[in-house]
Structures are given as structure tokens and as C-alpha cells.
Amino acid sequence: MPVTSNSKQENMKLIYLDNAATSWPKPEDTYKAADSYARDIGGSPGRSGHRISVEAARIVFDARDSLSMLMGAGNPMRIVFCKNATEALNISIFGLLNPGDHAIATGMEHNSVLRPLKALEKRGVELSIAQCSPEGEVDPFIINKMIKKNTRVIYMLHASNVTGTIMPVEEVGKIAAGKGILFCLDAAQTMGALDIDVLKMNISLLAFTGHKSLFGFQGTGGLYIREGVEAMLKPLLLGGTGSNSEKFEQPDFMPDKYESGTLNTHGIAGLGAGVDFILNTGVAAIRKKEIELSGKFMEEAGTVKGLRLFGPVDPLKKTPVVSFLLNGRDPADIALKLDEQFGILSRAGLHCAPSAHMTIGSFPGGTNRFSFGYFNSMDDVKAAIKAVEELSIE
Amino acid sequence: MPEYYVLMFKSVTGAMQAEKILKKSAIPFKIIPLPKTISTDCGICIRFEAEQLESIKLALASKVEYSDIRKI
């Protein structure tokens, strides 16, 4: 990697293992697309009608089109851009639930789902949390049993940002469809890394972020809205959309209803290039490499004395996110040593998911987390193993 | 002077969707700012010559939703 550390060891090679927080580096085309938009185009997408405004609108549309292909949406008009997955989830929660409604979520959810839901619980929304196993796995049968007359939505993440555990999306989608309720998937950790087919999986709403496994920039994300769902989904933001400008009412059509204010076109240009990189490389090829990396790490780390792995140890059951503790030591202390002594960049603590840590038994101290990505190499994995081995006997 | 029609959209995104599909066909057209005397729909529209009317309709059928087609 072309970066050196600021610490004492000036020329230390950095090994980036924090891809679940944000992926880095990005594909070359991601950088180029943002630069080319900013330098050579620069117009406001679809606001003005002159050539660079239309060109900016084309860039935004192409990104929408690529995203639609990647998730099998069937129509790019079903995708709305947001600033991140959190905003998309907030639309999906505050935009849908009213006092008296019942919602279901799992114990592995991120705070981006649980905080809005807990806030609404105080305003009269009923909430049921499906408890998960210590591996982070949820039994669809438990979710099924929780459904009652006033249940409107099941919120579930596709894979945990703490343990990588992949959730039973197809089964839960079938349950929701069978009961005629909505199913909202938080794909912040998975879009681009795992296969997603929103129609086949019976997904009503899918929240994604641009800057993780989609290889785009921070400040981008979005929401897939299944046809018809927009009729019952209120937007969070109202304002200028470049359409219906003579009216004081917010447009009721896709995607303008949810896209008030000028979009992050630089970011979306990069995101579109990131998604195209995935479409060209293939989700299967990305998945294969990530399984090899996390599989190798878990296999070797499992033999390190004093190292405790959390979540599934089968790489097929998870994204390449590995949580661990070393001799019960403070994860923050280990993370600092990994950074300063080994140039390994990781994340320690609760990962904005206290409920997940309660589920796996690592609350409130949290865990160390290595999250591998497509641009990591087997050498990075070997260096990570060597580092935890050395720290374990320290 | 040839006779022109415009294809109008609620959202600019719809206009971009139509443009992308029409670009793959051989049908000549042009994106122009929507004349305000016609409508206050989204700010841009697709202009084409009258003789393309049927092929445009056919190319976009069941793929793109447009709000109106008008003679200008």
C-alpha cells in the first residue's frame, strides 16, 4: 500500500483491516470518476438543462442503473440516493411506523436501526427483538412467531458488522411475503460482497451504503423501494427536487419524493464506478477471495493460545469480518499496539452495535475486529496472524 | 421547418432513463430544456421529429414512464 505510518517507524507498511468501517483502497476507476466529474463536468444534476447539468444527471442515472442491476431491482427508478445507509434506514423506520404499529428486529442490529426503533417505541410503536444465538444467528421460526395483527415491518441486517454472521434473508423474506408485511434489509455490510436479488428475496426496502463493499465514497448510500411501497413511506426531507416546481407540495413520485436538495454528484460518480467494478469483477469472484482471506485467518488464529474468536468460524457463514479477544485484554490497547507496532489498522470496541455484543457475550468491553476486503492479500493475513501471535505471548 | 414533438417526464431521472434506452436505438432525438409554455414538469424533455413518434413510443413501451407527449 502506498502509505506510510506517521508513528516512529517511518517506513512501516500499513495493512488496512478495517473494511467493515470503510473500504480502502478503492478501485482506480472510483477515484477517476469523481475527479473527472469535479474537473470536467461539474454541473448540478438535472436542475438546469444545459449540457453539463444534463451530463451530471447522466452520471447519477448511470450509477442508479448499475445499482439496480447489482441488486436485481428491475428498474433504476426504484433506487433513491441518500447520504448513507443510516439515512436510508431512518426513512424506512420513521417514514413507515405510526403509534400502534408493531415492528420486529433482531438482536444483532446496528444502532442505525435500533436507535430509531427505540425512539419510536417511546412514541407508541411496539417493538419485538428476536434474540440470536451467541454466534449471532437468528432462527426465522422465532421471527415468524412474533408476527401479530399489527405487525408492519421486519427489520433485519444482512450480515453483522461485529461477527460477519450472514442472516437467513430468503427465509425471512418468504415469511414476510407470506404474512403480507414489509421486509426491510440493512445491507450496509453486504451489498457488493454477497449476492442480493431484491425481487427473489421478497425485500420491500433495502438500505445500502456506498463506501464499504460498493467501493464508493463516504457520504453516499441509498434505499431501494419496492414498487408500491412509496405510497405508504413518508420522506424525511422535503425541498427542491427540480420537478413540480410550481407546487408547494412534495412530489409523490420516484425517486424525487425522497431526493430533496442537490445530490452528492462527486460521490455518486465514484459510487457508480465502484459498482461497475463489482459488476465487471463479479460478486462471486469477490466473495471467493474474501472467503479465502477470512478462512485462512480464522484457521490460523484459532490455534493462537489465548485468542478467542467470536461468531461463526466457517467463512461460508459470514462476511470477512472477524471479532476476537486476546487473553481478555482491553481491545483498545491491542488495537493501539497493532497500529503502532505492526502497522495493522483495525477497529476495537462496540462497533456501534451494543446489542450484537450483548448477544455474543462481549458487552460492554467489546472486541477487536479485523475486517478483510477484496484488496487485501494473503500476505496481509499472514502479517495479521504473526502480529496476534506476538501479542498473545507479550 | 420540421414538425417537432416533446416527450415529458415527471422526474429528470425518467428523462435520463429514456435517453439511455433511445441512445441504443437509431432514433434521432435531442434533450432540451422544457419550454415553460408547455408544462412545469421536470426541467428537461426529449425533442424529436414528428415522424419518429411511433418508434419512440414503441422503444419506451413498458420500460419508461413519461408524463406526456406534445406537439410543439
Side-chain angles (χ1 to χ4, degrees):
Chain A
M1 259 175 223
V3 173
T4 52
S5 164
N6 290 327
S7 70
K8 288 169 204 157
Q9 295 105 321
E10 274 302 324
N11 293 313
M12 185 188 281
K13 181 188 174 233
L14 291 188
I15 297 172
Y16 186 77
L17 300 183
D18 199 14
N19 289 283
T22 197
S23 62
W24 188 80
K26 310 292 182 187
E28 194 54 32
D29 284 349
T30 299
Y31 304 120
K32 281 187 188 155
D35 184 80
S36 146
Y37 163 75
R39 205 180 294 279
D40 306 325
I41 302 166
S44 175
R47 291 296 197 265
S48 311
H50 55 69
R51 69 186 76 189
I52 68 168
S53 168
V54 173
E55 191 52 34
R58 278 185 196 116
I59 286 174
V60 172
F61 182 79
D62 284 344
R64 225 186 279 274
D65 207 9
S66 298
L67 283 159
S68 167
M69 271 186 254
L70 184 62
M71 66 170 84
N75 184 352
M77 301 295 279
R78 305 315 307 171
I79 290 162
V80 164
F81 285 112
C82 302
K83 70 174 190 262
N84 44 39
T86 298
E87 185 184 354
L89 289 164
N90 270 259
I91 295 171
S92 308
I93 294 169
F94 287 104
L96 267 183
L97 297 171
N98 298 306
D101 289 339
H102 175 236
I104 298 170
T106 82
M108 289 302 283
E109 301 310 312
H110 189 272
N111 268 349
S112 53
V113 163
L114 289 179
R115 281 183 173 166
L117 283 176
K118 288 284 180 188
L120 281 183
E121 200 178 18
K122 288 186 185 154
R123 299 188 210 164
V125 168
E126 282 181 66
L127 177 62
S128 300
I129 304 283
Q131 289 309 313
C132 299
S133 75
E135 309 268 86
E137 285 161 340
V138 71
D139 183 350
F141 181 71
I142 295 177
I143 293 179
N144 195 20
K145 272 208 319 200
M146 284 175 160
I147 297 172
K148 41 188 195 173
K149 256 190 184 162
N150 59 339
T151 308
R152 288 201 69 197
V153 203
I154 300 169
Y155 296 95
M156 189 171 80
L157 79 177
H158 192 177
S160 164
N161 65 314
V162 175
T163 58
T165 314
I166 297 170
M167 301 307 236
V169 176
E170 274 174 62
E171 290 90 325
V172 173
K174 255 181 220 155
I175 290 169
K179 301 268 178 153
I181 60 175
L182 299 174
F183 176 35
C184 173
L185 190 73
D186 168 7
Q189 290 292 327
T190 57
M191 182 112 170
L194 297 180
D195 275 325
I196 294 180
D197 187 319
V198 286
L199 296 177
K200 230 190 266 171
M201 291 169 154
N202 290 298
I203 293 165
S204 323
L205 294 158
L206 179 139
F208 62 90
T209 186
H211 70 101
K212 295 182 179 178
S213 39
L214 287 178
F215 299 130
F217 296 115
Q218 293 161 24
T220 60
L223 181 63
Y224 158 79
I225 304 173
R226 198 185 189 99
E227 197 169 351
V229 175
E230 73 272 23
M232 52 186 122
L233 185 69
K234 291 189 293 271
L236 276 190
L237 287 179
L238 312 184
T241 57
S243 52
N244 275 5
S245 296
E246 81 287 6
K247 292 195 183 117
F248 289 119
E249 288 83 33
Q250 186 74 4
D252 61 359
F253 48 83
M254 295 287 294
D256 299 25
K257 183 174 180 181
Y258 308 96
E259 286 186 351
S260 292
T262 305
L263 291 170
N264 172 7
T265 311
H266 315 72
I268 292 169
L271 171 58
V275 176
D276 288 342
F277 174 85
I278 294 164
L279 290 170
N280 292 331
T281 309
V283 173
I286 292 171
R287 177 75 180 136
K288 182 171 177 281
K289 182 169 179 191
E290 293 188 344
I291 286 173
E292 284 166 7
L293 297 172
S294 70
K296 177 73 179 168
F297 177 78
M298 288 188 293
E299 189 191 317
E300 299 282 332
T303 66
V304 174
K305 209 166 161 265
L307 188 145
R308 180 182 167 202
L309 288 170
F310 291 83
V313 286
D314 179 354
L316 298 175
K317 289 185 173 174
K318 63 192 284 169
T319 55
V321 170
V322 185
S323 259
F324 62 92
L325 282 174
L326 210 48
N327 295 318
R329 281 159 68 188
D330 182 355
D333 178 46
I334 297 289
L336 183 63
K337 288 196 158 71
L338 284 166
D339 182 350
E340 290 192 334
Q341 295 174 22
F342 301 93
I344 293 175
L345 311 177
S346 64
R347 183 167 172 193
L350 291 175
H351 314 97
C352 299
S355 178
H357 281 282
M358 286 173 199
T359 304
I360 66 171
S362 52
F363 185 83
T367 54
N368 286 102
R369 183 186 76 178
F370 284 166
S371 46
F372 301 94
Y374 184 68
F375 292 110
N376 281 126
S377 66
M378 212 37 110
D379 283 345
D380 294 341
V381 172
K382 285 177 189 157
I385 294 162
K386 194 164 167 280
V388 291
E389 270 171 355
E390 283 186 31
L391 286 174
S392 75
I393 51 171
E394 200 182 59
Chain B
M1 270 289 278
E3 252 192 321
Y4 283 113
Y5 279 78
V6 289
L7 185 62
M8 288 143 47
F9 303 87
K10 287 181 179 177
S11 167
V12 167
T13 307
M16 293 298 103
Q17 188 180 27
E19 184 197 40
K20 202 165 178 176
I21 291 168
L22 292 178
K23 265 187 182 168
K24 288 179 193 155
S25 73
I27 308 167
F29 68 93
K30 193 176 176 182
I31 293 253
I32 60 162
L34 181 66
K36 289 298 167 203
T37 47
I38 299 184
S39 160
T40 53
D41 269 10
C42 89
I44 55 177
C45 61
I46 289 177
R47 191 189 70 175
F48 54 91
E49 289 185 23
E51 63 194 47
Q52 306 295 344
L53 182 60
E54 288 316 309
S55 17
I56 292 244
K57 279 185 180 169
L58 195 68
L60 300 181
S62 76
K63 284 184 188 153
V64 179
E65 238 182 89
Y66 47 87
S67 55
D68 206 356
I69 298 183
R70 293 253 199 103
K71 202 172 160 184
I72 53 168

